[in-house]
Amino acid sequence: MTDEEFIAMLHQYKEGKISEREAMKEFQRASFEDIGFAEIDHSRERRQGFPEVIFAEGKTKEQVLAIMESLKQTSKGSIMATRASRAQFDFVHAGLPETQYDEAARIIYIERPAKRDPAHTILILTAGTSDIPVAEEARLTAYLWGNEVKTHYDCGVAGIHRLLAHRDDIESANVIIVIAGMEGALASVVGGLTDKPVIAVPTSVGYGAAFHGVTALLAMLSSCAAGISVVNIDNGFGAGVLASKINHLC
């Protein structure tokens, strides 16, 4: 429920068009909806500017569909289900034909119109091609949250000239997301090239002493470059949301 719809409901109650119980029911429904296996936070869009996002992993396809159907009825912004499988999408799409699926990002979504400012761009950089699935989760999240997004993939420190070839985009971006596995060095390099906020995302790409992303995580947390924040391993969604919030402050 938007602020305008909430005010309209109060006017209806004031004018005697709905009873106290009806007004209370609408208010409760606008806050959250209990559907047995989930309590859907319908007021999140008013508080945070975007509807509740579904974490599909671990949920049945029936549960994902039911939550998306509820959010579709009450939300104005785009609707997302992250870490979703193709099987979940096929089932959801049969019930909600307007849903789309991004295979790389593993996101089921319903896109709704959003204003994007081309002067305020989020740039996403990856160290390697294997980091692209995490980057695509960040890219689609930031895009659906109403941002212009640019990407450059596979420009890690093993061939630093590839990164420097994108210097113009690094300097013009408003926020930069850097995604890297292995030793995670790319975040420090980028942090030393820009005065813009850098969001570092360690990935579980690597083997042996990479410890499924822990080495990259610790390296990013220990970076000597100032202005770098770090999200959890493989958390492209979290990076996309944080970048969006920073980008919308300007």
Side-chain angles (χ1 to χ4, degrees):
M1 180 180 287
T2 64
D3 290 344
E4 291 74 18
E5 290 170 335
F6 184 73
I7 292 170
M9 182 192 71
L10 292 177
H11 280 299
Q12 285 184 312
Y13 168 68
K14 183 177 180 180
E15 294 166 5
K17 295 179 179 179
I18 59 174
S19 67
E20 289 181 354
R21 289 189 177 276
E22 288 172 327
M24 181 60 68
K25 185 178 179 180
E26 285 299 313
F27 177 74
Q28 289 174 337
R29 186 171 182 273
S31 299
F32 73 94
E33 180 183 2
D34 188 346
I35 59 173
F37 57 83
E39 293 186 351
I40 305 170
D41 186 2
H42 290 308
S43 66
R44 189 170 305 185
E45 189 169 20
R46 290 180 60 248
R47 301 194 316 269
Q48 298 188 346
F50 200 83
E52 180 177 1
V53 175
I54 304 159
F55 183 68
E57 191 174 303
K59 292 182 174 65
T60 67
K61 55 186 183 295
E62 292 84 3
Q63 289 171 338
V64 176
L65 173 60
I67 298 171
M68 290 198 82
E69 285 178 328
S70 177
L71 288 170
K72 177 193 169 185
Q73 294 175 3
T74 59
S75 304
K76 303 298 183 183
S78 297
I79 300 166
M80 298 172 57
T82 65
R83 303 299 170 98
S85 68
R86 168 62 70 172
Q88 287 174 318
F89 168 68
D90 289 341
F91 184 84
V92 170
H93 187 66
L96 287 173
E98 61 268 53
T99 53
Q100 301 180 64
Y101 185 58
D102 188 301
E103 190 87 44
R106 293 189 296 163
I107 294 175
I108 303 170
Y109 63 99
I110 297 174
E111 182 179 351
R112 286 168 169 167
K115 292 183 178 179
R116 296 180 175 86
D117 184 355
H120 292 89
T121 303
I122 295 171
L123 175 63
I124 301 178
L125 304 169
T126 74
T129 302
S130 298
D131 300 311
I132 289 177
V134 178
E136 282 297 287
E137 184 180 55
R139 179 198 62 79
L140 185 55
T141 298
Y143 174 79
L144 292 174
W145 282 52
N147 300 275
E148 289 283 348
V149 185
K150 184 174 289 188
T151 63
H152 292 300
Y153 295 159
D154 192 29
C155 52
V157 298
I160 198 74
H161 57 288
R162 300 172 301 176
L163 176 67
L164 297 178
H166 307 303
R167 189 69 181 266
D168 288 346
D169 287 338
I170 291 171
E171 291 177 351
S172 63
N174 209 41
V175 188
I176 303 173
I177 299 174
V178 178
I179 301 173
M182 304 297 278
E183 84 283 22
L186 184 61
S188 289
V189 175
V190 175
L193 292 174
T194 180
D195 62 349
K196 304 299 172 50
V198 174
I199 302 167
V201 187
T203 71
S204 52
V205 171
Y207 48 86
F211 296 116
H212 305 289
V214 174
T215 296
L217 171 64
L218 295 177
M220 290 172 173
L221 288 170
S222 302
S223 174
C224 65
I228 297 176
S229 64
V230 185
V231 299
N232 204 359
I233 298 168
D234 292 334
N235 189 11
F237 169 76
V241 172
L242 179 57
S244 176
K245 290 187 175 186
I246 294 171
N247 201 36
H248 286 150
L249 290 174
C250 302

